[in-house]
Amino acid sequence: MLTARAVAVNGEVVTSAPVRMTAGDPPPALLLTGTEQPAADESVRERLEFLGFPVVAVPAAVATEADATGKALIVAPSTIASSDLGTKFRETPVPVLTWESFAFDDLGMAGAVGETWRADRVRMTGAAGPLAGGLTGEQVVYRGPNRVRWGVVPDGAELAATMPDDPALATLFGYPAGTPMLGTTAPAARVGLFLGDDGLDPDVVTPAALHLFDTAVRWAVKLPSQSPA
């Protein structure tokens, strides 16, 4: 993170807004996009770029497994149709982060899947590891009632958060590479997240939600986790 600092002759100091700089030539993230919520997809693109990833956006309807070649991460928001994701990247040896809960089962990440409407929070699990990003207890992730997506996951999943009133409904969970899932083994990290169709719109999500998104990305690509601001 860089800032510029100017000092006037009268001693007044002005500091610019911080700018995120990326060193070297990191591999890009593949962002699968839909057709209904371009602003939501753009909010995700901007956050990935903030985290240091160049982004290659491809409409989910025409994406193929070849699009994942050379990518650091595949991001599949809920703005895409679950049928456009399906099993397309189920066996791809590239980390996948998705909140299209109705594709969790196609990817072997969960059995029962769904979403809860008029919800604004998740509960971090007591035994949460790095995927919890240092958060505990109930975390408000929306600025107002929205939808929280979930899946019912097997014991081998790393469970970081659930619905507050039902610990069987996982709202943030992951599988390290080589971990048994449902009907397959994770060929690379897989992460399921609670987000809705607004993506990371700052008028919709809270700082806690942004922190959990950042943590999910970092966990998936094996970068060190960071403490909440």
Side-chain angles (χ1 to χ4, degrees), residues 50-147:
F50 173 81
L51 293 173
F53 294 92
V55 176
V56 175
V58 177
V62 299
T64 69
E65 190 174 17
D67 290 312
T69 302
K71 304 302 189 296
L73 176 70
I74 301 166
V75 180
S78 62
T79 52
I80 68 176
S82 59
S83 57
D84 287 337
L85 180 57
T87 60
K88 198 177 291 185
F89 299 101
R90 180 182 171 106
E91 306 301 333
T92 305
V94 175
V96 173
L97 167 62
T98 182
W99 51 100
E100 177 42 70
S101 60
F102 295 101
F104 288 167
D105 50 351
D106 293 326
L107 294 169
M109 295 170 59
V113 301
E115 56 190 7
T116 298
W117 288 79
R118 296 181 295 280
D120 68 353
R121 66 195 62 204
V122 300
R123 183 187 296 277
M124 311 310 294
T125 61
L131 190 53
L135 298 181
T136 59
E138 287 193 10
Q139 294 291 325
V140 176
V141 293
Y142 292 121
R143 298 185 184 277
N146 207 296
R147 70 176 90 177

Side-chain angles (χ1 to χ4, degrees), residues 164-197:
D165 57 353
D166 192 340
L169 306 182
T171 56
L172 175 55
F173 59 94
Y175 300 89
T179 303
M181 300 198 298
L182 294 173
T184 188
T185 298
R190 297 291 187 261
V191 184
L193 191 59
F194 54 82
L195 287 171
D197 291 348

Side-chain angles (χ1 to χ4, degrees), residues 37 76 188 212 223:
Q37 299 274 4
L212 290 172
L223 288 174

Side-chain angles (χ1 to χ4, degrees), residues 198-225:
D198 297 299
L200 297 171
D201 184 333
D203 292 329
V204 175
V205 300
T206 66
L210 282 176
H211 177 68
L212 290 172
F213 174 85
D214 294 353
T215 299
V217 170
R218 298 176 72 86
W219 187 92
V221 300
K222 298 182 179 180
L223 288 174
S225 59

